[in-house]
Amino acid sequence: ALPFEYYVQMIERTRREVPEVYPHFFSTSEIIGMSDVSGLAVPNVLQRLWDAGLRSLPGGGAEILSDRVKKKISSKKGTSADWLNVMREAHRIGYKTTATMMYGHIETDEDIIEHLESIRRLQDETGGFTAFIPWSFKPGNTPLEKIIPHYATSTRYLQIIAISRIYLDNFQHIQASWFSEGKKTGQIALHFGADDFGGTLLEENVHAAANFVNKTNVEECIQLIHESGFDAVQRTTLYEILKVYERVE
C-alpha cells in the first residue's frame, strides 16, 4: 500500500497544477484502508484530505447496505455501519457525497428497503448526500456468474428508480445511468423519477471487466436528453449549473 501522505500530496498537486479539474476520489473502503495504513482515525484521514483540497467522495462500496448480503458478496469492503460511519464523518466535516446501490444479485426486496432506509436516515441527520445512484450488478467474469447467470432487467431498473424517488424524499437528485443500463433505459428512467442523466467517462474498468461496455460523448448525451423531452444541463460535481442546452421543438 502507498503511504497516506502520497494521497494527500496528490490532492494538493491536483488543486495546484490543474485547478479546473475537480478531484472526486476515494470510496469508503479506501478511506478505511488509509486509516489502517496511516494509523490515523477515519475522521483525521478525512480532515487531512479536506485540508489538502478534497471536497467530495463517491458512494462506491455500499453495494447493498445489508450485512447479510455484504458478508456474501463484499466481505472485504467492511460492514454497512462502516460505510455509513465514513459518510457521516465526511458530511460532518463538510464533504458532499453520493450514495449508490448495486442490486441484481442475491438481495431481497427487504434488503433494498433496508438500504434505502439507511441512507434516508443519514440524509435526515447530515444532509450531505447530493444524489442517489442505483445500478445493476453485471455477473460476467465474476464468482457469482454461475449462480446469477442473467443481468437484472430494464423493468427492474425502472422499478428501482421509481421507488427510490418516492422513498428518498430528502434526496434532491436521482441519477439515471445510460452507462450501466443502456441508453434507451436511461432515457426512460428520466420519466420514472430520475432527474440526472450521468455524464461521460474517460476510462472505466469495473463494467469492462464484466464484458459490459457502453460509450457516449457530450453531444450524444445532450441529444438523448432532448429526445426524452427535457432540456439538457451541464453541471458540476456539486450540482452547480454551468450551461443549459434548451430543447428545440
Side-chain angles (χ1 to χ4, degrees):
L2 293 169
F4 175 57
E5 287 301 320
Y6 170 86
Y7 299 105
V8 173
Q9 293 169 8
M10 178 179 67
I11 297 294
E12 291 174 337
R13 186 168 61 251
T14 300
R15 301 302 291 159
R16 181 176 63 253
E17 297 180 0
V18 281
E20 68 276 14
V21 173
Y22 187 94
H24 184 62
F25 301 154
F26 309 133
S27 68
T28 58
S29 56
E30 289 168 331
I31 295 295
I32 292 170
M34 292 178 192
S35 174
D36 292 339
V37 169
S38 67
L40 298 172
V42 164
N44 298 115
V45 168
L46 290 166
Q47 187 63 57
R48 288 290 306 281
L49 294 172
W50 175 274
D51 293 342
L54 193 64
R55 291 294 181 268
S56 68
L57 301 177
E63 320 302 16
I64 293 287
L65 294 175
S66 161
D67 287 334
R68 181 193 70 82
V69 175
K70 288 180 74 66
K71 287 178 182 178
K72 295 180 179 179
I73 68 168
S74 58
S75 59
K76 294 183 179 180
K77 292 185 178 181
T79 65
S80 300
D82 291 333
W83 188 91
L84 291 165
N85 287 336
V86 172
M87 289 298 181
R88 178 179 291 107
E89 295 297 337
H91 293 169
R92 286 176 176 169
I93 290 171
Y95 286 90
K96 295 296 184 181
T97 76
T98 56
T100 63
M101 181 176 74
M102 189 267 288
Y103 70 92
H105 36 85
I106 64 171
E107 85 285 346
T108 64
D109 290 347
E110 290 77 10
D111 294 319
I112 289 176
I113 295 301
E114 182 178 351
H115 183 107
L116 296 179
E117 178 64 16
S118 294
I119 61 175
R120 185 174 71 173
R121 286 185 178 182
L122 185 55
Q123 183 74 330
D124 276 340
E125 180 184 337
T126 67
F129 290 119
T130 58
F132 175 62
I133 310 168
W135 55 280
S136 61
F137 173 69
K138 305 299 186 288
N141 295 325
T142 73
L144 293 175
E145 185 174 16
K146 294 181 180 179
I147 61 173
I148 308 170
H150 305 295
Y151 297 156
T153 65
S154 296
T155 298
R156 181 62 166 172
Y157 178 69
L158 296 174
Q159 291 170 340
I160 294 291
I161 290 288
I163 190 62
S164 301
R165 180 70 286 168
I166 294 168
Y167 204 96
L168 299 178
D169 57 353
N170 54 4
F171 274 69
Q172 188 172 356
H173 302 290
I174 305 289
Q175 188 177 121
S177 179
W178 62 265
F179 172 71
S180 67
E181 313 305 323
K183 297 170 186 176
K184 289 299 181 183
T185 301
Q187 286 179 299
I188 297 170
L190 295 176
H191 294 273
F192 275 70
D195 69 317
D196 184 351
F197 200 59
T200 57
L201 298 172
L202 296 180
E203 180 180 357
E204 196 284 330
N205 298 312
V206 177
H207 280 71
N211 296 325
F212 190 94
V213 177
N214 276 316
K215 295 183 178 180
T216 190
N217 53 42
V218 172
E219 290 74 22
E220 187 182 25
C221 272
I222 294 169
Q223 179 184 348
L224 291 168
I225 293 168
H226 284 173
E227 287 176 354
S228 301
F230 301 96
D231 292 336
V233 176
Q234 183 183 4
R235 64 167 177 84
T236 68
T237 299
L238 299 181
Y239 285 84
E240 300 160 326
I241 303 303
L242 297 178
K243 187 174 182 179
V244 177
Y245 300 86
E246 293 185 354
R247 184 172 66 97
V248 178
E249 296 288 350

